[in-house]
Amino acid sequence: MRILVVEDEADLARTLHTGLTAEGYSVDLAHDGRQGLWMARTGEYAVVVLDLMLPGLNGYKVCAQLRREGNATPILLLTAKDGEWDQAEALDTGADDYLAKPFSYLVLVARLRALVRRAAAVAPPVLAVGDLSLDVAARVCRRAGVRVEVTPREFSVLELLARRAGQAVSKADLLYHAWPDDALDPNLVEARVSVLRKKVDAAFDRRSVQTVRGIGYRLVDDREHG
């Protein structure tokens, strides 16, 4: 089971990595908000442990952005602040739990276990556009019940198109959702969409990924035209 820890204090990050690894978790580390947001978008994590005061983007903004994008991964916010207003803001932003520093490591692990149990009790979301389905939790794509092998980045592109099914999605939005923050070249999107069309459309004699001239792309249910 993988956990993402987004923490800029090097000593604490190392301690959490060592301790959680000893608990049997696979742990990835990010040291600023932008890196953490990118990893949370593209990885498959059971929980994100997110520090509040981060360089680049603070924890509130990272959490809020993930929730706006429909990312339901449980988030535990860590912060040096312990006021009731801070706790309320953390939960209102979309965090699932809140732990003030300094904290008990035993309590941290217990809360992580509780978040994992809670998430497991909820059916994983599946996005469907016609007979194209995306299992967001498992990061699996299927067309008419047949599994289609896609890369993590290709899945991220499809996921955003599926969440906005029938709507035009700009290349800029796709870049922001599926690539690191320093990616600016729309040709990256064009090349990836070209590959996706071969995998999810051409291989099934379909045309569900459509070009919206001057804007970007949209995903539609094209079964009546198949």
Side-chain angles (χ1 to χ4, degrees):
M1 188 175 296
R2 294 177 65 201
I3 290 179
L4 173 62
V5 175
V6 189
E7 172 59 65
D8 65 320
E9 295 180 29
D11 288 344
L12 178 56
R14 282 194 296 270
T15 298
L16 289 174
H17 184 277
T18 300
L20 292 173
T21 299
E23 294 285 338
Y25 296 106
S26 296
V27 183
D28 292 341
L29 294 178
H31 299 290
D32 63 66
R34 294 187 184 280
Q35 181 189 24
L37 178 60
W38 161 243
M39 293 175 69
R41 281 172 172 162
T42 57
E44 300 172 23
Y45 297 104
V47 182
V48 175
V49 178
L50 178 64
D51 187 34
L52 184 59
M53 304 305 293
L54 292 166
L57 290 174
N58 66 39
Y60 288 135
K61 291 182 179 179
V62 173
C63 182
Q65 183 62 38
L66 289 172
R67 295 307 187 231
R68 278 196 298 270
E69 295 173 0
N71 189 314
T73 303
I75 295 174
L76 173 64
L77 271 181
L78 299 179
T79 178
K81 298 182 178 181
D82 193 23
E84 60 183 17
W85 288 104
D86 300 303
Q87 295 182 43
E89 185 174 2
L91 297 173
D92 287 342
T93 302
D96 298 273
D97 205 351
Y98 178 103
L99 197 56
K101 300 176 182 176
F103 52 82
S104 160
Y105 180 74
L106 288 177
V107 172
L108 170 68
V109 172
R111 292 194 177 188
L112 290 178
R113 286 197 296 263
L115 288 177
V116 171
R117 287 196 303 270
R118 201 178 307 160
V122 179
V126 175
L127 303 175
V129 181
D131 62 358
L132 181 67
S133 66
L134 301 174
D135 185 327
V136 177
R139 311 295 282 184
V140 170
C141 172
R142 290 185 174 86
R143 167 73 87 182
V146 178
R147 181 163 177 161
V148 180
E149 295 299 331
V150 296
T151 68
R153 201 178 311 282
E154 290 164 358
F155 189 95
S156 293
V157 170
L158 272 179
E159 181 184 357
L160 184 58
L161 291 173
R163 289 190 185 280
R164 302 184 190 176
Q167 303 175 30
V169 181
S170 71
K171 294 176 184 177
D173 280 352
L174 289 165
L175 268 175
Y176 184 76
H177 179 74
W179 275 265
D181 289 338
D182 57 355
L184 301 174
D185 186 358
N187 290 327
L188 293 171
V189 178
E190 293 174 10
R192 194 62 62 180
V193 169
S194 178
V195 173
L196 273 173
R197 280 177 164 153
K198 294 176 183 176
K199 292 182 176 182
V200 303
D201 276 352
F204 297 86
D205 192 25
R206 305 296 287 280
R207 294 179 180 84
S208 61
V209 182
Q210 300 181 346
T211 297
V212 181
R213 192 175 299 279
I215 300 177
Y217 305 93
R218 68 172 161 238
L219 185 65
V220 300
D221 178 2
D222 73 329
R223 284 176 294 182
E224 64 271 25
H225 304 299

